Amino acid sequence: MAINPGSDAAFSRQKSTLSENPQTKKFPLTEEEVFYRNCRAAYLTVFKSSLENISSKDQLYLALQYAGRNPSQKTINKYWTSQTAKLNFDDFCIIVRKEKPTSKAELLKSFKQLDVNDDGWILHTDLCKLLTKRGEKMTQEEVNAIINLADVNADGKFDYIKFCKLYMTTNEQFLRSILEKLEVDSKLKRQQFGSHIEGSSERDPSPVPKPSPRIVRKTNQETFSNKGDTRSSLLPTARKFKTSVSFTITMGANSNRNSTLTEPNSIKEWQCIQSKGCFFLEEDGEIISHQYRMQIAQRSMVYLTIKPLNLSQVEGKPSSWLSVDTALYILKENESQANLQLMCFTELQNREVFGWTGELGPGIYWLIPSTTGCRLRKERKPVTEEAQLVYRDETGELFLTKEFRSALSDIFEVIDLDGNGLLSLEEYNFFELRTSGEKCDEDAWAVCRENFDTKKNELTRRGFMDLNLMEANDREGDPRDLWVTLHSMGYNKALELTEACPFVIDIYANKCKPRIKAVHMEACSRQLEKAICKSVLNKGDAKVMDGYEHIIVHTYKCDTWITSVIENKVSIMSQKTK
């Protein structure tokens, strides 16, 4: 973090660090030069050059954060008034000099105000209420960024003493890292920074020019971070917990976040619900899937996962869908279905399982599954031999083959969304819509219950088998309609599931039992597109396209996929001025 020139202890630490460099031994830096050096490091983390002006409150806010200052909105408004059009590097240095940096004592004092038991912990539920309702209110996504820091959270509690220690250590490491980067770059050795000119190229640190996405909470810090070190995520995650109990967060684009999914320690005591679904590959390559509504009755810690469903395939046949990547986007319904707010998505991973953990308030949420489709594609290799679906015995009676019954059993597993071993009318209608494009009405369902095995007015697995056998008998053994059903469900002529990926969603909550219901089966909706774009803007690295300062490429990387969103700032500005 940048050092306040009024702090002798801080300066002496920084001087000793810099004096270890052979280039600085000959010309020891003065206290004033150390101050400008640190200001310059912070400024160049946001802008390409010190010749760029600060042109918005957001840019001022971000630059001050990198200088170790923690401005409230009131502070920003003090320096950026209605008459302010821009601020230069000199203006920035004056502001940095006036604003005090964060101290560990300040942080601890602020947290202790919330620690009613004085035991060094704050319950996540209490923390969330305070951060979203008092002072400079945070969004739920920003609160989740805090409580998802693995090093300082456990069992629904936030260890603020450990957080403060980690925060201060990370600040010092961050400053040291960017100064080292500046030292080895020769491009800006002789650049003039405002009114402060370096007198010697040997003594002048060399800033690394970075593209300026000019988007707060989306700065790429990968250049300055240590891979695998979760402490590096503290800087972009949280800056200061002020005594007014307001908290400021910058959503980091750091790919070094802790991306490993781990279950909460007390998850066995949480209430759980499960639902299944499926991605289906259409003829034109489009992918459709179930979409869900989830209800949370009261504010709870939630642990949510999605993974491919492992079916009991015939021995020796491949289960290619198990390698398909899955994701789940959680959007909160505000007043209407048309007004959905992205809360989070399953960015953590443990092998084939993708998940998310954090706190959700009471309300209705939409769960929208997604897959990149990279491993769910049309088959290129044709199947030469068609599997047999039915046969007749010596008496001429029609039966389903063992292989077809196995495929039907797996289909039953997929369409039994709640996993209770029975098919309700709603579950069966998802199957009917997928295979025939029509729904089964109440009268037809009553006939089905009269003729096939049911339990509690729901169709059993045996009843589902007999229903398909009846269809085969109605066609006098002609399997063409049966193949239409199989192809619709993603099976090829060899009865291999190659163009679908069944999945299962598990939801745990520590305060109430979540409720989930499948409500749609459709292709990538506008809501999903918006959710994916917003998640990349929030979590991805931002970089200005070479030669096009108004075009910004945001890229989100994980172990399984890379997603990029291209933002045209010219279009945004023109829309605003119309």
Side-chain angles (χ1 to χ4, degrees), residues 2-15:
I3 308 302
N4 187 332
S7 172
D8 295 335
F11 270 116
S12 62
R13 286 198 306 270
Q14 192 59 41
K15 284 182 184 178

Side-chain angles (χ1 to χ4, degrees), residues 304-320:
L304 187 149
T305 63
I306 181 172
K307 65 178 180 179
L309 178 65
N310 192 6
L311 299 172
S312 55
Q313 284 287 291
V314 176
E315 186 176 353
K317 288 195 175 182
S319 303
S320 57

Side-chain angles (χ1 to χ4, degrees), residues 280-281 434 485-492 496-500:
F280 295 104
L281 186 62
R434 177 62 192 161
T485 296
L486 288 166
H487 289 324
S488 298
M489 295 301 294
Y491 285 83
N492 63 13
E496 298 168 339
L497 185 61
T498 57
E499 296 186 1

Side-chain angles (χ1 to χ4, degrees), residues 328-339:
L328 197 60
Y329 291 82
I330 298 92
L331 298 89
K332 186 171 186 180
E333 184 176 301
N334 296 316
E335 299 178 357
S336 69
Q337 179 182 338
N339 185 15

Side-chain angles (χ1 to χ4, degrees), residues 161-195:
I161 295 177
K162 186 183 293 185
F163 174 85
C164 291
K165 181 179 179 181
L166 201 57
Y167 173 80
M168 300 306 294
T169 302
T170 305
N171 265 337
E172 294 177 0
Q173 290 179 346
F174 180 76
L175 177 62
R176 189 180 304 115
S177 176
I178 61 176
L179 288 177
E180 287 172 357
K181 294 289 182 180
L182 297 179
E183 190 66 34
V184 298
D185 193 288
S186 60
K187 291 183 179 180
L188 300 181
K189 282 284 187 181
R190 288 171 293 277
Q191 186 187 92
Q192 177 175 332
F193 283 78
S195 60

Side-chain angles (χ1 to χ4, degrees), residues 91 114 125 130 256 281 311 325 350 383 457 558:
D91 298 325
L114 308 181
T125 50
L130 289 159
N256 300 322
L281 186 62
L311 299 172
D325 60 272
N350 185 0
V383 177
N457 292 325
C558 70

Side-chain angles (χ1 to χ4, degrees), residues 122-158:
I122 301 173
L123 291 176
H124 286 169
T125 50
D126 294 337
L127 189 66
C128 182
K129 288 177 185 177
L130 289 159
L131 298 182
T132 56
K133 298 185 184 300
R134 292 174 57 180
E136 294 179 15
K137 300 178 182 63
M138 293 170 54
T139 66
Q140 186 61 53
E141 188 177 17
E142 290 171 334
V143 175
N144 290 335
I146 300 172
I147 62 181
N148 283 337
L149 290 170
D151 293 341
V152 296
N153 290 278
D155 298 327
K157 294 186 291 187
F158 174 70

